[in-house]
């Protein structure tokens, strides 16, 4: 099975603490790295993760609150000092272009690579990235400013050809990929061997959904339905529901309800408020609704 991993770099909320870094994570799809959000300290966490800087070419910013984007200029500057040459693509609300370009022009003159911006409307559901391995689409959310999550859909892989059939029918190397793509095989005697005899279906494509920051938002359920892994913010405990509504964030119980209703396979909760010394109460609240829940933590790696 091809690699599809989630690396948590930071899972705290806006107020810095000694326990958590600001929000950021990296999705590894077949050794291509995609960053989601880039709070302060992200580049240090990226070092600790031992992920290769050179394989990170795309950054997706959910919204323009500082704990989700204040780390961008530092990361861009570091890439310049490393003499990066590959373009860096940033996908975000259109306002980020003006906010960040001024800093790049002032602090990062003469860089050896280009930063390319791809603005999108966070209020609209749309595909904003697509290649042979994965597509990324926006998930419109409910927050105090235009905000979206991101849905990573893996592309189907080719069927697997059976080694015993290659040997039995003496299938030449040049035919192997064609058979993986669905062709039958015709022997030297003219007999047609059905493709279904020769191949094993590949694993179903996987889906990862990222939802932070947002108030309880049931309209996303249809879009994320059946995801293999859901990251959903759980800033507050249920006892702080009033505060969650005021700030348009979610409680752990609400995150779990979304996961349950969307019939996802696993849930990881994060974006924890600084008021909690121990997030175990958030985990227990979520697990009452959705048992397959884990707490996000720095340097946590999850295979999807």
């Amino acid at each position: 099975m091809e690699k599809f991993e989630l690396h948590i770099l930071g899972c705290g909320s806006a107020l810095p603490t000694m326990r958590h870094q600001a929000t950021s994570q990296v999705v590894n799809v077949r050794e291509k790295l995609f960053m989601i959000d880039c709070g302060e300290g992200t580049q240090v966490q990226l070092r600790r993760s031992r992920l290769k800087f050179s394989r990170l070419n795309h950054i997706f910013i959910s919204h323009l609150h500082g704990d989700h984007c204040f780390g961008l200029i530092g990361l861009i500057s570091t890439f310049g000092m490393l003499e990066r040459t590959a373009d860096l693509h940033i996908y975000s609300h259109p306002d980020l272009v003006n906010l960040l370009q001024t800093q790049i022009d002032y602090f990062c003159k003469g860089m050896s690579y280009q930063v390319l911006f791809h603005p999108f409307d966070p209020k609209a559901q749309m595909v904003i990235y697509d290649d042979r391995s994965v597509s990324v689409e926006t998930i419109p959310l409910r927050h105090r400013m235009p905000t979206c999550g991101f849905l990573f859909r893996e592309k189907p892989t080719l069927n697997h050809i059976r080694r015993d059939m290659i040997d039995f029918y003496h299938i030449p190397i040049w035919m192997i990929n064609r058979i993986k793509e669905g062709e039958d095989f015709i022997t030297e005697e003219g007999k047609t061997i059905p493709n279904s005899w020769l191949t094993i279906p590949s694993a179903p494509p996987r889906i990862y959904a990222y939802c932070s920051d947002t108030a309880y938002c049931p309209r996303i359920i249809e879009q994320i339905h059946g995801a293999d892994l859901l990251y959903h913010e759980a800033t507050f405990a249920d006892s702080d529901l009033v505060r969650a509504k005021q700030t348009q964030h979610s409680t752990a119980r609400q995150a779990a309800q979304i996961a349950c209703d969307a019939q996802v396979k696993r849930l990881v909760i994060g974006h924890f408020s600084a008021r909690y010394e121990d997030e175990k109460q958030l985990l227990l609240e979520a697990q009452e609704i959705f048992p397959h829940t884990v707490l996000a933590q720095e340097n946590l790696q999850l295979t999807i």
Side-chain angles (χ1 to χ4, degrees), residues 44-194:
V44 175
Q45 289 299 101
L46 191 58
R47 285 285 191 193
R48 287 177 177 152
S49 73
R50 300 190 181 278
L51 295 167
K52 291 188 177 180
F53 278 38
S54 60
R55 290 181 176 167
L56 174 59
N57 295 318
H58 302 272
I59 300 177
F60 301 88
I61 302 298
S62 63
H63 64 296
L64 301 185
H65 276 158
D67 56 318
H68 293 258
C69 63
F70 278 172
L72 274 171
I73 188 61
L75 185 63
I76 290 168
S77 177
T78 295
F79 281 167
M81 289 188 283
L82 292 173
E83 298 183 347
R84 176 191 179 99
T85 57
D87 293 341
L88 180 66
H89 299 263
I90 298 179
Y91 305 77
S92 72
H93 186 285
D95 286 354
L96 183 64
V97 178
N98 295 329
L99 293 170
L100 196 58
Q101 189 62 59
T102 301
Q103 297 179 65
I104 293 172
D105 293 342
Y106 189 88
F107 293 110
C108 305
K109 294 177 182 177
M111 285 197 309
S112 55
Y113 73 100
Q114 284 189 299
V115 177
L116 303 178
F117 292 95
H118 303 270
F120 61 81
D121 180 2
K123 297 178 181 179
Q125 178 183 329
M126 66 181 74
V127 174
I128 57 173
Y129 176 84
D130 188 75
D131 67 17
R132 291 183 298 176
S133 302
V134 67
S135 67
V136 182
E137 63 188 69
T138 54
I139 307 171
L141 300 172
R142 287 177 53 204
H143 197 40
R144 289 167 291 166
M145 68 186 316
T147 302
C148 70
F150 301 103
L151 193 72
F152 287 73
R153 294 185 186 272
E154 183 185 31
K155 297 292 181 68
T157 55
L158 297 177
N159 287 340
H160 304 290
I161 191 166
R162 295 175 53 181
R163 178 72 206 188
D164 58 335
M165 290 300 181
I166 294 176
D167 296 337
F168 185 81
Y169 289 110
H170 305 290
I171 297 173
I173 292 175
W174 60 268
M175 268 298 299
I176 290 177
N177 275 343
R178 291 169 62 174
I179 291 171
K180 287 181 178 181
E181 291 171 352
E183 283 193 30
D184 298 331
F185 177 64
I186 301 175
T187 65
E188 292 181 356
E189 295 77 23
K191 181 181 179 180
T192 299
I193 311 303

Side-chain angles (χ1 to χ4, degrees), residues 9 21-22 39-46 70-71:
L9 304 184
Q21 301 290 322
E40 278 185 277
T42 290
Q43 60 177 315
V44 175
Q45 289 299 101
L46 191 58
F70 278 172

Side-chain angles (χ1 to χ4, degrees), residues 3-17:
K3 182 172 287 188
F4 197 160
E5 296 174 344
L6 173 66
H7 298 259
I8 304 291
L9 304 184
C11 57
S13 57
L15 190 64
T17 71

